[in-house]
């Protein structure tokens, strides 16, 4: 098949230009955020947390300080924020402490509802601190360096580069794959995808629509590759996705090694991190003792005492601390090299600093959730691999891009999406049986995005909330759309944040949640999804349930709940729907519910968009349509 080749120089130059545009957009946002004087407004962006104190601290690899930060005045819960594990941050003094502390770079290494853990290289000299998301220049530089390396590559990396730029055709081993030693629990489409990926000599793609067990399929692929003597580098764009993969590999009896910060607190995940492995090593206690002694020396050197210290004593203490840390790092590096060299499966985010791999080579690179990574991210681990398997769904959320112009020009198109569109079925196998949703919840998504190929497994096909032993639900329809047209609930702008909210819809959302809970459903079994951060904040402020999860669409990617209540917020006379017009974002929102999906919106506004026209028509044809005027006490005239 003739193709338009992508010249490497031109291709990589374009991506470098787009990354520069993205960096400029991040820096501009940071500068705008710093100009905001009001503390309430500063936190509304989700990119800043103020008035933080250190609750506890520990020590990680390389002598890093792991600081657990919480609110000084309200320690029980942090406001809604965008900090994710692996996010680069700037830690600085807050309030009167702002001038006392030099701002320092860090990385988010853990997060919970009430606190966030940050890894930094030095101890912060302030009692009160602020945390700001930082432009991710380190990751961008790593991606640019990876593309420069790919330009100049020879050998196997050059062959893979040429294939990904359409200068070579992918090939496959036509011989039947050796069956697994134990009977497989995979369905027919999953088994076909694994067999196909194992037969690929260069590249294969596993397309996993919502609920089809994509990660389960990927885990089985990795296990069979290891069983035939191969080493596997398993990556994903986010720490949460890496941990999900890691957790399932461990449950399947494998012994992977996790590079970087785990997003989950589960011991099964932490036990496989380099930090934990180094601590369990025979020399681990020696390293910890050296770091403790260095910590004590640094504190003594910084402590004020009435008695005047001997000349040069504090400098000597600091020098001794530095030497101890240097020796500890040398010992750590040797342990890390030994661990990585002996690992059959190594897991990390795609843009991790893979310098510790040295010249390691892996038979197979698997990138899960590949469509959520910008293409330059996928080039970072590629040089360590002989073959590549991409897994994901290009019909769900694309990579998050701040620069609208860079996104428009092509940065928002993932490597997987580009290859699917170019090679089509030559390199792709789609999973077709989903195990999450009632078949009616699945139906619109299947028809709109997957050519009607999805089928619901018998275990979920007709399951409803009323089938749960603790639930007695009066309206047990799997899909409900509540039309707010005519209610007068116009959208509003949230001050300086420019985000949108709709209090009228918000009240209806919470009343629907209350009804679900009165029927016996637990708050933790419900998700509330809103497209705008301002609406998320409003809902969280007015919700009476501590364990009710309320978040944006992006926050629920890859997740599921028994019931989902979604509001669309937009209600205006111009028929403007904003970024709701991104149908892939809506695909995610509409496919998180297992047993009941409730969507709330103004049909008069939504109907101006072509995608929503189709969705509203489907709601009516499937009997899901309700008017807000049919809901008792929903509208006060």
């Amino acid at each position: 098949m003739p193709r338009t080749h992508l010249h490497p120089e031109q291709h990589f130059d374009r991506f470098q230009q787009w990354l520069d545009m993205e960096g400029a957009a991040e820096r501009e946002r940071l500068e705008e955020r710093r100009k905001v004087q009001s503390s309430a407004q500063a936190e509304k962006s989700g990119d800043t947390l103020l008035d933080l104190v250190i609750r506890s601290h520990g020590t990680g690899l390389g002598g890093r300080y792991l600081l657990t930060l919480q609110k000084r005045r309200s320690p029980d819960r942090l406001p809604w924020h965008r900090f994710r594990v692996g996010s680069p941050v700037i830690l600085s003094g807050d309030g009167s402490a702002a001038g006392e502390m030099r701002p320092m770079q860090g990385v988010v290494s853990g997060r919970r509802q009430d606190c966030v853990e940050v890894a930094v290289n030095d101890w912060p000299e302030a009692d009160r601190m602020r945390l700001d998301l930082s432009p991710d220049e380190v990751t961008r530089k790593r991606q640019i360096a990876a593309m420069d390396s790919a330009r100049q590559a020879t050998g196997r990396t050059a062959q893979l580069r040429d294939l990904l730029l359409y200068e070579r055709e992918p090939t496959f081993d036509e011989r039947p794959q050796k069956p697994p030693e134990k009977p497989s629990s995979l369905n027919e489409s999953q088994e076909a995808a694994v067999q196909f990926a194992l037969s690929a000599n260069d590249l294969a793609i596993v397309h996993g629509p919502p609920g089809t067990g994509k990660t389960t399929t990927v885990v089985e692929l990795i296990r069979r590759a290891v069983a035939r003597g191969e080493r596997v580098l398993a990556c994903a764009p986010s720490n949460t996705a890496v941990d999900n993969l890691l957790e399932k590999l461990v449950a399947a009896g494998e012994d992977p090694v996790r590079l970087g910060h785990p997003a989950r607190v589960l011991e099964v995940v932490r036990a496989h991190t380099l930090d934990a492995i180094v601590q369990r090593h025979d020399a681990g206690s020696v390293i910890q003792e050296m770091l403790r002694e260095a910590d004590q020396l640094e504190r003594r050197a910084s402590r004020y005492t009435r008695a005047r210290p001997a000349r040069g004593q504090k400098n000597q203490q600091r020098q001794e601390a530095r030497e101890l840390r240097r020796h500890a790092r040398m010992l750590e590096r040797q342990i890390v090299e030994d661990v990585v060299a002996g690992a059959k499966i190594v897991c990390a985010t795609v843009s991790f600093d893979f310098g510790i791999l040295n010249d390691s080579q892996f038979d197979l690179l698997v990138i899960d959730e590949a469509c959520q990574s910008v293409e330059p991210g996928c080039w970072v681990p590629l040089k360590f691999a002989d073959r590549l398997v991409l897994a994901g769904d290009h019909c769900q959320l694309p990579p998050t891009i701040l620069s609208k112009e860079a996104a428009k020009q092509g940065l928002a198109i993932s490597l997987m999406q580009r290859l699917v569109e170019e090679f089509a079925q030559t390199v792709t196998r789609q999973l077709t049986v989903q195990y999450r949703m009632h078949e009616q919840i699945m139906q619109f998504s299947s028809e709109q995005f997957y050519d009607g190929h999805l089928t619901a497994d018998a275990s979920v096909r007709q399951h409803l909330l009323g089938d749960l032993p603790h639930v007695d639900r009066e309206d047990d329809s799997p899909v409900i759309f509540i039309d707010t047209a005519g209610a007068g609930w116009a959208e509003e702008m949230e001050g300086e944040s420019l985000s949108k909210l709709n209090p009228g819809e918000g009240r209806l959302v919470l009343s629907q949640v209350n009804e679900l809970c009165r029927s016996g459903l637990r708050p933790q079994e419900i998700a509330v999804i809103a497209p705008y951060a301002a609406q998320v904040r409003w809902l969280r402020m007015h919700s009476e349930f501590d364990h009710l999860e309320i978040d944006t669409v992006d926050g629920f990617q890859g997740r599921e709940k028994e019931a989902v209540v979604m509001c669309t917020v937009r209600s205006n006379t111009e028929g403007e729907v904003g970024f709701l017009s991104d149908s892939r974002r809506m695909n995610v929102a509409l496919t998180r519910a297992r047993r009941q999906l409730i969507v709330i919106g103004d049909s008069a506004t939504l109907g101006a968009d072509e995608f929503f026209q189709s969705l509203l028509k489907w709601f009516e044809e499937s009997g899901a349509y309700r008017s807000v005027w049919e809901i008792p006490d929903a509208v006060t005239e």
Side-chain angles (χ1 to χ4, degrees):
M1 180 194 307
R3 292 190 174 87
T4 302
H5 293 186
L6 302 175
H7 191 275
E9 289 296 326
Q10 182 184 11
H11 183 71
F12 292 131
D13 283 347
R14 283 190 306 172
F15 271 103
Q16 180 162 348
Q17 181 183 4
W18 296 337
L19 289 175
D20 289 343
M21 293 163 66
E22 180 68 0
E26 279 196 0
R27 289 189 293 273
E28 184 180 343
R29 186 176 71 168
L30 178 64
E31 191 59 35
E32 288 176 356
R33 187 169 67 243
R34 283 176 174 164
K35 291 177 182 176
V36 177
Q37 299 299 315
S38 162
S39 60
Q41 286 296 331
E43 289 191 326
K44 279 187 176 179
S45 67
D47 298 341
T48 298
L49 289 172
L50 301 172
D51 199 26
L52 298 172
V53 295
I54 298 174
R55 186 174 76 185
S56 61
H57 77 278
T59 305
L61 275 180
R64 298 167 308 196
Y65 293 104
L66 304 178
L67 309 177
T68 300
L69 305 172
Q70 68 177 28
K71 280 282 192 177
R72 181 170 64 98
R73 295 186 180 276
S74 50
D76 295 334
R77 190 167 190 173
L78 293 174
W80 176 84
H81 60 82
R82 301 180 193 274
F83 294 94
R84 300 286 184 263
V85 175
S87 297
V89 293
I90 297 174
L91 185 66
S92 56
D94 191 18
S96 60
E100 302 172 7
M101 176 183 163
R102 175 182 58 82
M104 58 178 64
Q105 297 282 342
V107 176
V108 176
S109 53
R111 60 168 283 172
R112 293 197 334 224
Q113 277 194 336
D114 61 338
C115 63
V116 59
E117 183 186 78
V118 178
V120 293
N121 290 328
D122 300 302
W123 184 264
E125 299 295 336
D127 295 328
R128 292 169 54 198
M129 284 160 282
R130 68 177 284 163
L131 198 63
D132 292 283
L133 279 176
S134 168
D136 198 354
E137 301 294 351
V138 173
T139 294
R140 258 188 296 280
K141 288 178 181 177
R142 203 172 286 154
Q143 293 171 351
I144 290 170
M147 292 190 296
D148 287 340
S149 177
R151 292 179 208 246
Q152 303 160 21
T154 58
R156 184 55 179 156
T157 302
Q159 293 176 344
L160 287 176
R161 175 202 64 206
D162 293 346
L163 185 145
L164 298 180
L165 301 184
Y166 318 148
E167 294 182 1
R168 288 180 63 245
E169 293 288 333
T171 64
F172 297 86
D173 186 348
E174 301 298 335
R175 294 172 296 178
Q177 295 297 311
K178 183 180 178 182
E181 294 181 3
K182 296 180 180 179
S184 170
S185 60
L186 301 182
N187 65 45
E188 187 176 338
S189 68
Q190 291 172 331
E191 181 65 36
V194 170
Q195 294 279 356
F196 178 71
L198 288 171
S199 74
N201 294 325
D202 313 281
L203 167 71
I205 293 175
V206 178
H207 179 197
T212 54
K214 170 184 56 63
T215 302
T216 298
T217 306
V218 168
V219 165
E220 184 61 22
L221 165 64
I222 293 171
R223 294 185 68 226
R224 292 193 199 175
V226 170
R228 67 184 194 182
E230 297 181 354
R231 292 187 75 209
V232 180
L233 179 56
C235 297
S238 70
N239 279 278
T240 302
V242 175
D243 287 347
N244 187 37
L245 195 56
L246 178 72
E247 191 178 337
K248 291 188 175 182
L249 283 165
V250 173
E254 299 299 328
D255 187 24
V257 173
R258 168 74 153 94
L259 310 182
H261 304 294
R264 301 186 181 183
V265 186
L266 295 177
E267 181 57 33
V268 68
V269 174
R270 287 196 178 273
H272 288 267
T273 62
L274 275 177
D275 288 73
I277 295 170
V278 169
Q279 287 177 2
R280 292 197 303 269
H281 194 275
D282 293 342
S285 59
V286 176
I287 293 171
Q288 288 300 309
E289 183 57 38
M290 293 167 75
L291 293 174
R292 272 194 295 270
E293 189 175 341
D295 196 11
Q296 290 170 1
L297 284 167
E298 286 173 344
R299 287 177 180 277
R300 282 204 295 271
S302 301
R303 192 178 300 146
Y304 172 80
T305 57
R306 290 181 179 275
R308 187 174 181 177
R311 181 185 295 274
Q313 179 182 346
K314 289 185 177 293
N315 284 337
Q316 184 180 348
Q317 288 172 334
R318 292 191 178 99
Q319 180 62 31
E320 289 176 8
R322 283 193 291 270
E323 280 296 301
L324 280 168
R325 290 188 181 278
R326 188 174 69 83
H327 285 296
R329 283 194 292 269
M330 287 174 58
L331 189 52
E332 277 180 349
R333 276 197 297 270
Q334 186 58 57
I335 297 172
V336 166
E337 287 176 9
D338 293 344
V339 169
V340 171
K344 292 291 186 184
I345 306 171
V346 174
C347 301
T349 56
V350 289
S351 292
F352 183 74
D353 179 4
F354 289 102
I356 60 174
L357 294 183
N358 295 321
D359 296 324
S360 291
Q361 199 67 13
F362 293 83
D363 302 281
L364 178 63
L365 167 62
V366 176
I367 302 180
D368 196 12
E369 304 294 358
C371 293
Q372 293 179 49
S373 171
V374 291
E375 180 174 323
C378 295
W379 288 94
V380 177
L382 191 69
K383 70 176 183 178
F384 300 102
D386 289 336
R387 305 193 320 278
L388 172 64
V389 172
L390 301 173
D393 182 9
H394 53 287
C395 300
Q396 295 190 63
L397 285 178
T400 301
I401 308 294
L402 282 181
S403 170
K404 292 181 179 178
E405 186 58 31
K408 180 181 177 182
Q409 291 185 25
L411 186 57
I413 299 175
S414 66
L415 175 64
M416 178 175 157
Q417 180 182 347
R418 177 167 70 77
L419 294 174
V420 167
E421 292 173 354
E422 181 65 31
F423 290 113
Q425 294 306 307
T426 307
V427 298
T428 307
R429 290 296 180 271
Q430 181 180 306
L431 308 181
T432 58
V433 181
Q434 66 86 16
Y435 298 87
R436 174 186 300 162
M437 297 164 273
H438 185 286
E439 64 179 352
Q440 187 178 343
I441 300 174
M442 173 203 76
Q443 184 185 4
F444 179 79
S445 179
S446 177
E447 293 173 355
Q448 190 79 13
F449 298 97
Y450 308 108
D451 298 322
H453 290 160
L454 295 190
T455 58
D457 184 72
S459 61
V460 302
R461 189 175 300 145
Q462 294 294 323
H463 69 175
L464 296 165
L465 288 178
D467 297 329
L468 294 170
H470 55 285
V471 174
D472 182 13
R473 178 79 167 143
E474 185 174 329
D475 191 344
D476 211 12
S477 306
V479 180
I480 299 171
F481 172 69
I482 303 177
D483 187 0
T484 65
W489 295 344
E491 65 192 54
E492 301 174 8
M493 193 79 79
E494 184 196 52
E496 297 176 24
S497 77
L498 303 182
S499 186
K500 292 179 172 57
L501 70 157
N502 190 320
E505 275 195 18
R507 286 187 287 271
L508 182 56
V509 166
L510 295 179
S511 74
Q512 291 298 306
V513 170
N514 288 337
E515 280 194 28
L516 287 166
C517 291
R518 280 195 293 271
S519 72
L521 204 61
R522 305 179 184 99
Q524 55 267 39
E525 295 175 310
I526 306 168
V528 172
I529 299 179
Y532 291 93
Q535 186 78 347
V536 170
R537 281 189 285 272
W538 190 96
L539 289 164
R540 287 185 175 186
M541 185 184 303
H542 292 85
S543 170
E544 62 184 84
F545 301 107
D546 290 337
H547 299 292
L548 174 67
E549 284 197 65
I550 306 171
D551 212 333
T552 58
V553 181
D554 301 53
F556 281 105
Q557 171 92 341
R559 315 238 350 257
E560 61 184 58
K561 292 284 187 175
E562 298 295 349
V564 168
V565 183
M566 179 196 171
C567 59
T568 55
V569 175
R570 302 308 299 261
S571 179
N572 53 72
T573 56
E574 295 80 17
E576 293 181 358
V577 299
F579 67 78
L580 286 182
S581 61
D582 184 346
S583 60
R584 291 176 295 183
R585 179 169 266 101
M586 289 304 302
N587 186 28
V588 173
L590 296 171
T591 54
R592 301 306 98 195
R594 288 174 49 78
R595 299 168 188 266
Q596 188 169 74
L597 169 67
I598 302 173
V599 180
I600 296 171
D602 179 354
S603 65
T605 298
L606 300 178
D609 178 81
E610 185 177 348
F611 172 81
F612 277 101
Q613 284 179 14
S614 301
L615 180 59
L616 292 169
K617 181 181 178 183
W618 178 78
F619 281 142
E620 289 202 37
E621 291 175 348
S622 58
Y625 182 89
R626 311 276 193 280
S627 169
V628 69
W629 301 97
E630 301 172 28
I631 311 296
D633 303 320
V635 183
T636 304
E637 296 189 69

